[in-house]
Amino acid sequence: MRKTISSCKELTNNLWWSWDTEAKEIFRELSPILWERVNHNPVELLRHISNDELQARFQCCLGEKTERVAARFRSYMAETDTWAARNTPELVKNPVAYFCAEFGIHESVRIYSGGLGVLAGDHIKSASDLGINFVGITLFYKEGYFRQYLNHDGWQLEDYPLQYPESLPIEKVTGPDGKDLIISVSIAQSEVFAQAWRLKVGRATLYLLDTNIPANESHYRDICCRVYGGDQNMRINQEIVLGIGGVKLLDALGIAPAVYHMNEGHSAFLTLELLTKELAAGTPMEEAKLKVKKRCVFTTHTPVPAGHDRFSRDMMHYTFDHYLSQNGISFDDMMLLGAEDRNNPFGLFTMTVLALNFSRAANGVSKLHGEVSRQMWKNLYGAESENDVPIGHITNGVHAHSWATPTTERFWRRFTDSLDTLCSTQEAAEKILAQVSNEDLWCLRFHLKRNLIDFIHRYLANQLFHQHTYSMYPEYDSSRLAKNTLSPDVLTIGFARRFATYKRAPLIFRDLDRLNRIINHPTMPVQIIFAGKAHPHDDAGKEYIRQIVEHSRRPQFAGKIIFLENYNLGVAKRMVSGVDVWLNTPVRPMEASGTSGEKTVLNGGLNFSVLDGWWPEAYNGENGWSIGNGELFENYEEQDRFDAEKLYDVLENQIITTFYERDENNLPVKWLKKIRNAIATIAPVYNTHRMVREYAENYYLNKESN
Ligand SMILES: *Cc1c(COP(=O)(O)O)cnc(C)c1O
């Protein structure tokens, strides 16, 4: 059994387990309670279970399953007949280096904040599945993003629990001499050192740079403390470590990337380091710039001008003066590389501009966002028409195996060999769906909703206990809680995402009387579950949370409108699988893509959204619902009024009535048809396998040099 213990530990050392249902089952079966308590972290789990216990447990039933899963893992790792080997062999030979300030791979590895990180996590998993040689570069944040809790007024408070390397599936990167590999970057007048950690994500590798080492002065040790924490100064320091440090790390490891992919502008300083290297090798400036540009691609995610990272001239001067003195680039020349006005070095330095200047190809993350980006950067290219702006689009997707719950995955496996088949083409999906009866589908929906509601009962007991709300709000008394909070028979709407104000979480509360009639309808009631974090500096976002919590405690809504604390990947998975309808109410066109709605589809959830981000591409009238038709108003108040009105109308006249319309077998036949349409038309397109294939074929392969 010692062999099985080591097989089990082998599984914990690679996040492949996080998208393998059976592997997760092993950890849960070892101890369901511990598994919850350690936030689904198998490294931590095994630290709490003795080898004696493991040996005994593996001797009975779990041993065989563990060996079976380990064998499957090993054959996955050894597979050579992959999509990339067949289609993009260049990307097997040399790796894609993918830089991102955050990666949301699993809730137990807290190095992400929101959608950008989750996208990067799903991207790296699909790159692994497709067999692309792939290295990710990010930072190791010892405090991660914050843990959210609410005080009894519903105001968000933040807590920053530490995460320890020994509790994570990471190992220190060492050099050829066996010692810790340390790289250094120049910040202001100082040399800042970073060590690196290696995290295996299937066949892909993620490197995490970490400045929290004794060689650094304490204020530099804190660069790698919090995801998007601190002020502008902290931000620029993080971005130097990520971009410049990342290039230096790859060099130190002897890795020669086929392409550098900047996922959002945070990592764009990497281009300065590549330029520095070219200049040091004696390449003249203009040629050096072209050479750097040929090796980089860039994805922008921000459709509003104010959302882009910008640094003042003073800050740039203070931070880069020493660096520039070594590499021979003049300060004004550098400022021009990030200047929105190409002839004026005296403005702000914009990271997106730097990235655009140095990428051979750039893209937005949905068709609409591509258009918005071309419009936004027209001046930079001196283009007459936005059609002349060289920014394309690749619409975001989600990693199917990560967002189908174990229940969902087992369900589809009754009808097909793999979720990948269901997500391949519309015809394939339709063929599979033809075997699924309405009873089957409705059973899946009830099962997933029951799982969510059970989860919420446990979760809320905890949340309300520390909020001290039991005594203040008697309707939340624990014995009544289980009885009165949420019902699987009721149409359930979910809304969860970052509480950025443009996402308008409180929109559905605009008319409380109307909402009351909807929620408390005698025969067709509705319940709503909210979750989401506001950035610690975003008081307007926190105010939105407070308002929703306050509404949720009104007697008419108690137990029917719920706010769950501390939205993260684990809570997201429960929510997107359990709810019937996923609501999204951004101010168009501020949602670059949005991905959470795509996560619900395989689980049988339906989207109800403003026509923004990915939804205008996917929505066909039969696979969900839209809020309005993309109408735009000059003023926010008018926009909110219009959108809220549409929201209520569609909800009352279409969504609720369809859900509650039952046939003689008590099945909502029209609803189930919508689910079938959604699965057939959305699942095969809005997944990261399709997305990463597009990146590989259209962006990672350098067609010009072929
Ligand atoms: C998917 C996801 C997001 C992004 O959701 P959007 O709808 O794209 O805003 C944010 N946070 C978590 C935890 C997620 O799982």
Side-chain angles (χ1 to χ4, degrees):
M1 281 308 123
R2 206 162 289 141
K3 176 167 151 276
T4 308
I5 293 177
S6 89
S7 293
C8 185
K9 296 202 163 152
E10 181 186 346
L11 288 175
T12 67
N13 286 331
N14 185 318
L15 284 174
W16 173 84
W17 66 261
S18 72
W19 69 96
D20 188 84
T21 296
E22 234 186 346
K24 276 183 284 191
E25 273 168 9
I26 294 169
F27 301 132
R28 181 165 358 90
E29 282 170 43
L30 278 170
S31 168
I33 299 270
L34 253 183
W35 181 239
E36 291 304 317
R37 197 174 302 153
V38 299
N39 197 22
H40 310 143
N41 178 343
V43 175
E44 189 65 15
L45 179 83
L46 290 200
R47 279 158 57 94
H48 287 83
I49 301 179
S50 70
N51 278 353
D52 285 355
E53 179 180 347
L54 283 180
Q55 183 168 348
R57 300 290 301 279
F58 288 147
Q59 241 145 19
C60 65
C61 43
L62 273 179
E64 191 206 328
K65 188 165 175 177
T66 305
E67 287 302 347
R68 188 170 67 238
V69 174
R72 211 148 41 69
F73 168 61
R74 288 174 200 133
S75 81
Y76 175 90
M77 294 300 288
E79 174 75 62
T80 52
D81 181 26
T82 61
W83 176 87
R86 291 190 300 273
N87 295 280
T88 58
E90 299 90 328
L91 302 178
V92 178
K93 205 160 124 239
N94 291 85
V96 173
Y98 179 95
F99 286 63
C100 190
E102 49 168 321
F103 276 80
I105 302 166
H106 185 261
E107 60 265 29
S108 60
V109 186
R110 297 184 295 106
I111 53 171
Y112 68 94
S113 140
L116 182 70
V118 178
L119 179 78
D122 281 4
H123 191 124
I124 197 171
K125 290 173 191 170
S126 276
S128 165
D129 290 344
L130 294 171
I132 294 172
N133 188 348
F134 201 87
V135 292
I137 305 280
T138 192
L139 303 181
F140 178 69
Y141 302 95
K142 74 171 191 278
E143 296 185 358
Y145 201 52
F146 66 93
R147 201 181 63 82
Q148 175 196 53
Y149 63 108
L150 306 177
N151 70 11
H152 62 251
D153 297 324
W155 190 255
Q156 169 180 298
L157 300 174
E158 297 101 25
D159 190 15
Y160 290 89
L162 293 174
Q163 52 187 348
Y164 297 95
E166 54 272 29
S167 299
L168 293 170
I170 59 178
E171 58 181 17
K172 234 184 235 176
V173 176
T174 51
D177 55 1
K179 297 208 184 104
D180 295 355
L181 193 111
I182 307 276
I183 55 109
S184 73
V185 294
S186 161
I187 296 180
Q189 298 301 319
S190 303
E191 204 65 3
V192 175
F193 300 94
Q195 67 176 26
W197 301 93
R198 185 184 285 115
L199 174 68
K200 303 242 177 69
V201 187
R203 290 182 282 238
T205 304
L206 179 60
Y207 290 100
L208 304 102
L209 287 161
D210 184 0
T211 59
N212 185 23
I213 55 176
N216 286 326
E217 298 163 53
S218 69
H219 59 286
Y220 288 130
R221 294 180 65 157
D222 281 348
I223 292 174
C224 296
C225 188
R226 296 175 178 178
V227 186
Y228 307 133
D231 54 11
Q232 280 292 91
N233 195 43
M234 176 64 84
R235 183 58 87 92
I236 199 170
N237 292 349
Q238 288 189 333
E239 296 185 359
I240 287 172
V241 175
L242 175 66
I244 296 178
V247 170
K248 290 193 163 183
L249 177 71
L250 292 172
D251 285 347
L253 291 168
I255 293 174
V259 59
Y260 294 82
H261 184 174
M262 295 171 267
N263 193 41
E264 191 52 307
H266 308 118
S267 59
F269 288 141
L270 76 84
T271 61
L272 292 183
E273 182 60 17
L274 293 177
L275 188 63
T276 298
K277 280 170 44 180
E278 285 297 339
L279 296 175
T283 317
M285 179 62 97
E286 289 314 308
E287 191 186 334
K289 284 185 187 168
L290 276 177
K291 279 179 123 168
V292 172
K293 184 170 171 156
K294 271 194 175 156
R295 301 166 69 191
C296 300
V297 299
F298 169 55
T299 303
T300 175
H301 292 261
T302 314
V304 268
H308 293 262
D309 248 347
R310 289 182 175 84
F311 299 115
S312 72
R313 192 176 156 88
D314 280 353
M315 181 174 280
M316 289 297 288
H317 193 268
Y318 172 77
T319 312
F320 276 99
D321 193 32
H322 184 65
Y323 180 77
L324 296 179
S325 72
Q326 293 170 319
N327 70 4
I329 304 174
S330 82
F331 179 65
D332 279 352
D333 282 350
M334 180 181 73
M335 288 305 290
L336 284 176
L337 296 174
E340 278 171 62
D341 173 354
R342 276 180 192 276
N343 303 311
N344 176 13
F346 298 101
L348 296 173
F349 188 93
T350 305
M351 294 300 276
T352 302
V353 172
L354 177 66
L356 287 170
N357 281 334
F358 277 118
S359 43
R360 67 169 189 239
N363 69 292
V365 289
S366 68
K367 186 160 175 284
L368 178 61
H369 179 233
E371 287 162 19
V372 170
S373 301
R374 285 191 287 281
Q375 180 65 37
M376 190 156 54
W377 299 111
K378 214 166 72 176
N379 289 342
L380 184 68
Y381 293 93
E384 291 280 301
S385 133
E386 50 262 37
N387 297 332
D388 300 330
V389 177
I391 300 178
H393 80 271
I394 293 181
T395 305
N396 285 344
V398 295
H399 184 250
H401 291 273
S402 296
W403 293 103
T405 67
T407 305
T408 310
E409 177 129 19
R410 260 194 308 274
F411 176 83
W412 291 113
R413 288 290 291 273
R414 282 164 51 200
F415 307 101
T416 178
D417 59 329
S418 158
L419 282 183
D420 295 335
T421 312
L422 183 64
C423 297
S424 59
T425 62
Q426 183 169 342
E427 297 84 76
E430 278 167 357
K431 231 160 98 186
I432 293 164
L433 282 161
Q435 306 166 50
V436 180
S437 71
N438 276 344
E439 286 81 356
D440 288 333
L441 210 45
W442 199 224
C443 172
L444 173 69
R445 287 304 314 145
F446 262 104
H447 192 163
L448 292 173
K449 219 190 301 186
R450 172 57 74 186
N451 286 351
L452 171 64
I453 290 172
D454 284 359
F455 164 74
I456 290 177
H457 284 165
R458 292 194 302 273
Y459 199 83
L460 270 187
N462 212 342
Q463 169 174 331
L464 299 175
F465 182 76
H466 75 243
Q467 279 176 29
H468 308 293
T469 21
Y470 280 126
S471 51
M472 293 172 61
Y473 298 92
E475 59 274 21
Y476 277 161
D477 158 297
S478 60
S479 61
R480 294 171 62 181
L481 177 82
K483 257 187 281 165
N484 291 355
T485 300
L486 305 176
S487 155
D489 299 311
V490 172
L491 173 64
T492 306
I493 298 176
F495 181 104
R497 43 185 59 82
R498 287 182 305 114
F499 265 55
T501 44
Y502 77 84
K503 294 181 186 252
R504 295 190 296 186
L507 191 71
I508 200 169
F509 294 97
R510 265 187 82 92
D511 182 341
L512 288 180
D513 290 334
R514 196 158 172 193
L515 184 62
N516 182 21
R517 288 196 297 277
I518 290 171
I519 298 284
N520 291 302
H521 191 283
T523 54
M524 301 191 290
V526 173
Q527 55 201 10
I528 316 180
I529 302 159
F530 286 93
K533 294 174 174 177
H535 187 277
H537 298 160
D538 181 9
D539 278 356
K542 291 186 191 180
E543 171 58 21
Y544 277 6
I545 293 174
R546 194 202 60 74
Q547 285 171 15
I548 290 176
V549 172
E550 183 183 321
H551 291 315
S552 75
R553 288 172 179 166
R554 293 171 191 272
Q556 70 270 36
F557 297 142
K560 295 164 185 164
I561 294 180
I562 302 285
F563 187 94
L564 297 178
E565 281 182 354
N566 200 34
Y567 187 51
N568 61 28
L569 282 166
V571 175
K573 201 171 295 184
R574 305 282 191 167
M575 285 185 67
V576 297
S577 59
V579 301
D580 297 301
V581 171
W582 192 254
L583 176 67
N584 193 14
T585 52
V587 178
R588 179 181 155 119
M590 292 170 88
E591 186 80 290
S593 168
T595 55
S596 56
E598 300 170 353
K599 300 168 187 166
T600 68
V601 172
L602 283 180
N603 302 299
L606 290 170
N607 279 276
F608 178 31
S609 172
V610 168
L611 286 175
D612 196 13
W614 71 288
W615 193 229
E617 280 163 72
Y619 177 60
N620 67 8
E622 306 294 330
N623 56 5
W625 296 273
S626 75
I627 298 170
N629 252 322
E631 296 88 345
L632 289 186
F633 296 85
E634 280 296 312
N635 121 6
Y636 279 137
E637 175 57 28
E638 250 181 281
Q639 186 80 52
D640 286 2
R641 177 147 27 92
F642 179 86
D643 289 345
E645 196 64 31
K646 289 281 172 210
L647 188 162
Y648 292 126
D649 286 348
V650 175
L651 191 55
E652 286 176 325
N653 302 329
Q654 299 180 43
I655 299 180
I656 294 172
T657 47
T658 310
F659 182 84
Y660 285 106
E661 185 184 326
R662 304 296 158 96
D663 73 355
E664 63 279 10
N665 300 316
N666 201 28
L667 290 169
V669 177
K670 286 188 193 148
W671 188 269
L672 292 165
K673 188 155 176 236
K674 287 252 183 214
I675 294 180
R676 289 172 189 275
N677 280 327
I679 293 169
T681 59
I682 297 172
V685 182
Y686 299 91
N687 64 71
T688 38
H689 280 26
R690 183 274 309 156
M691 180 188 89
V692 172
R693 283 196 300 260
E694 281 188 31
Y695 276 107
E697 289 175 332
N698 302 336
Y699 282 73
Y700 294 160
L701 290 182
N702 191 354
K703 302 231 169 86
E704 274 174 46
S705 70
N706 290 347

